[in-house]
Amino acid sequence: MKWALIGASRIAAGHMIGAFRAQPGGEVTAVLSADARRGAAYAEEHGIARSFDDLGTLLAEADCDAVYISTTNEKHHEQALAAIAAGKHVLCEKPLAMSVADAVRMVRAAKEAGVVFATNHHLRNAGAHLAIRDLVASGRLGRILSVRVSHAVNLPQALRGWRITDAAAGGGVIPDITVHDADTVRFHLDEDPVEVVAQMTASGLGQGVEDSVMSVWRMPSGVMVSTHESFTHPFAGTGIEIHGTEGAVVAREVMAQTPQGSVTLVDADGRYDVPFETHDLYERSMRLFEAAVRGEGRPSADGWDGVKSLAVALAVREAARTGAAQTIDYGV
Ligand code: NDP
C-alpha cells in the first residue's frame, strides 16, 4: 500500500514510517507539513518522494491509497474528513478529535465512503497484552474483580512542547495517555466503562493543562477499574494488574511502545511467568489494517474503538474538573 503522512511528526518518524515499509510493497510517498521547508527537510531525511504544505493539493496529487494522520490533536477531525472525502483509507492518531461528536462524524463519514478507518492504539497489538487478554478470556482468573493501571511516566524532554502547554492543540495527559488506558481496559474486559470519578492536577510540567490524573471507573459487569496517568513520574514504572477470584495477572513495564516487560500469573499454587510474542506493535497493527483494506478482518482498533477511548478520557477530565461522577456519553 502507498501511504501519505499528514503531519511531519515524531511518532511517524520513530515508529510508523518503518511499520508502513515493513509491509509487502509498503511505501510512503508523501508528507504534509504546515511549514514547507520543514516538510521538505523531513521528506529528505526519511526518503519520502514528495512534500506538500496544503492538504487539498496532497490529496489531489499524491500517489497514495491511505493517509496516516499524526498532527496535533485539534487538526485530526478536519484532516480526516478531507481525506475520507478524497476516498483515502485513514489511520488516525489518538485522540481522534477534541469532542466525541467530531470523532463520531469521522467514523460515520468513513463508513459512508466505504474506506477503512482505524485508530492508532498500539497497546492492544503488544504480545504482552494479547497474552493477558487470552488469560482473561480463558476464564483462568475466575470472575474478574478489579483492574489497576499504572501509566505514570517521565515525559521525555523532546515531547515537552504542545503536550504540556497547549490546551487548544489537545495537550494534557488525559488526551495523551488516558485514551490508551481506556482502549486497553476495554480490550481486556470486552466491555465499556459506564461511569467515572477522577482527580487531576498539574504537578510540575502542565501549564494550563493537567499533567497527572487518577480515576476510578465502573464497568457494566461490576468490575472496578483504577488508572493513574502522569507525565511527571521518573521512577514509577508502568503496569497493569487484573485480579480475579481464581488468580491474578500482574504485568510490569508493558504500557509501552516497544515489545517489553513481564507478565506473571499468580494463583493459589504459585507464580508463573507467562510467555508472549515480541513482534513490533505498530507493524502488527499495519498488517491488520492492510488486511482490512483487502476485505479481510478488521483493524486492531477501529474508529469506534477510538470514539470510545476518547469518550472515556473526556468523561475522566470532566469528572476531575467538576468533582462529580460522570456517566460516559459514547455519542451513539
Ligand atoms: P509532534 O510534536 O512530533 O508532531 C505534531 C506536529 O508538530 C507535526 O504535525 C508538526 O507540524 C509539528 N512539529 C513536529 N516537530 C516539529 C518541530 N521540530 N518544529 C516545528 N514543528 C514541529 O507530535 P507527536 O509525534 O508526539 O504526536 C503526534 C500525534 O500522534 C498526536 O496526536 C499524538 O497524540 C499521537 N501519538 C500517538 C502515539 C501512539 O503510540 N499511538 C505516540 C505518540 C504520539 P507539521 O506537520 O505542520 O510540520
Side-chain angles (χ1 to χ4, degrees):
M1 257 174 75
K2 292 179 179 166
W3 287 86
L5 309 180
I6 297 183
S9 67
R10 289 182 182 81
I11 175 74
H15 294 278
M16 301 312 298
I17 294 172
F20 299 136
R21 289 177 173 157
Q23 310 309 316
E27 285 182 52
V28 180
T29 58
V31 59
L32 177 81
S33 169
D35 177 334
R37 275 181 41 189
R38 219 181 80 73
Y42 190 98
E44 177 159 358
E45 181 182 353
H46 298 290
I48 299 168
R50 301 188 70 185
S51 63
F52 295 84
D53 62 0
D54 176 72
L55 179 59
T57 314
L58 179 147
L59 291 170
E61 295 184 9
D63 181 16
C64 66
D65 314 297
V67 301
Y68 166 56
I69 299 175
S70 64
T71 45
T72 47
N73 303 335
E74 87 288 9
K75 298 193 173 112
H76 297 173
H77 171 245
E78 202 178 317
Q79 293 173 330
L81 291 182
I84 291 163
K88 308 298 180 187
H89 304 290
V90 175
L91 171 66
C92 188
E93 269 304 343
K94 43 50 69 171
L96 286 188
M98 303 289 278
S99 73
V100 174
D102 279 355
V104 168
R105 268 191 281 278
M106 294 153 74
V107 177
R108 289 204 169 128
K111 185 165 172 48
E112 278 164 26
V115 296
V116 171
F117 185 99
T119 311
N120 205 22
H121 280 309
H122 58 290
L123 289 169
R124 54 166 74 205
N125 292 284
H129 286 286
L130 290 162
I132 294 168
R133 184 183 152 103
D134 283 350
L135 278 171
V136 173
S138 72
R140 182 72 172 77
L141 307 183
R143 181 168 61 85
I144 304 300
L145 302 168
S146 65
V147 178
R148 303 182 204 161
V149 182
S150 306
H151 207 156
V153 301
N154 185 33
L155 187 69
Q157 198 67 41
L159 300 189
R160 295 181 182 186
W162 59 269
R163 272 185 178 75
I164 58 169
T165 61
D166 195 344
V173 77
I174 293 173
D176 202 50
I177 304 185
T178 306
V179 283
H180 280 311
D181 294 343
D183 185 64
T184 305
V185 169
R186 290 187 55 251
F187 178 66
H188 289 314
L189 298 184
D190 205 17
E191 59 178 347
D192 304 329
V194 287
E195 190 182 37
V196 299
V197 293
Q199 293 278 327
M200 65 183 173
T201 192
S203 57
L205 286 179
Q207 299 159 45
V209 294
E210 80 290 337
D211 60 27
S212 296
V213 61
M214 289 185 174
S215 60
V216 176
W217 312 347
R218 184 167 62 81
M219 306 299 286
S221 64
V223 173
M224 297 184 73
V225 178
S226 72
T227 81
H228 179 200
E229 294 90 16
S230 177
F231 288 151
T232 63
H233 284 52
F235 312 113
T238 71
I240 186 167
E241 299 176 8
I242 302 183
H243 298 277
T245 52
E246 308 301 322
V249 61
V250 177
R252 301 285 182 227
E253 305 304 339
V254 296
M255 309 306 283
Q257 292 177 290
T258 50
Q260 61 174 58
S262 62
V263 179
T264 306
L265 173 65
V266 187
D267 68 11
D269 297 324
R271 303 173 68 85
Y272 319 90
D273 284 339
V274 177
F276 56 85
E277 304 285 334
T278 56
H279 52 259
D280 182 281
L281 282 61
Y282 298 95
E283 287 181 18
R284 177 182 186 274
S285 169
M286 284 313 91
R287 183 161 52 74
L288 295 178
F289 184 98
E290 296 200 1
V293 169
R294 293 193 303 269
E296 299 161 14
R298 46 157 281 175
S300 62
D302 66 14
W304 292 115
D305 292 315
V307 168
K308 289 181 176 181
S309 68
L310 175 63
V312 175
L314 292 180
V316 165
R317 190 182 255 165
E318 189 63 5
R321 192 183 68 78
T322 60
Q326 298 293 312
T327 301
I328 301 173
D329 176 5
Y330 288 105
V332 283

